[in-house]
Amino acid sequence: MHQELQRMSDQNTKLSLELGRLHDEVINLNRELEKLTIENQRLQIEVVALTNEVSQFKQLAASQKGRRYAAAS
């Protein structure tokens, strides 16, 4: 009985250490996820700004094309 309790205690210690290691890994992964989420938000803002800029260029190009067409007529 004593040997079985000792074996279970040893196993419990190993499991506890492994659980602690996994817990640390989850914390690190959550930190990395937070960093990636912030970076993703920043990139989304940049994409919106670039999309707006392209839209403005298209409008300007269309406006200039219309003026050239009207001047040629």
Side-chain angles (χ1 to χ4, degrees):
M1 176 89 157
H2 178 71
Q3 288 177 343
E4 183 62 17
L5 287 174
Q6 183 61 44
R7 186 191 71 76
M8 290 174 68
S9 175
D10 293 343
Q11 189 69 13
N12 189 41
T13 299
K14 291 176 186 177
L15 290 171
S16 180
L17 290 172
E18 185 63 19
L19 182 59
R21 189 189 69 74
L22 289 172
H23 183 258
D24 290 343
E25 185 66 22
V26 167
I27 290 171
N28 290 333
L29 289 171
N30 278 334
R31 286 181 185 146
E32 187 65 24
L33 178 60
E34 181 181 5
K35 290 176 188 176
L36 291 172
T37 299
I38 291 168
E39 178 68 10
N40 185 40
Q41 290 170 344
R42 188 188 66 75
L43 289 172
Q44 287 179 1
I45 290 168
E46 190 172 336
V47 165
V48 168
L50 290 171
T51 301
N52 290 338
E53 192 173 339
V54 167
S55 179
Q56 289 172 355
F57 284 140
K58 284 181 177 180
Q59 288 175 356
L60 180 61
S63 173
Q64 289 177 348
K65 185 178 180 181
R67 284 187 207 149
R68 283 189 217 140
Y69 180 75
S73 298

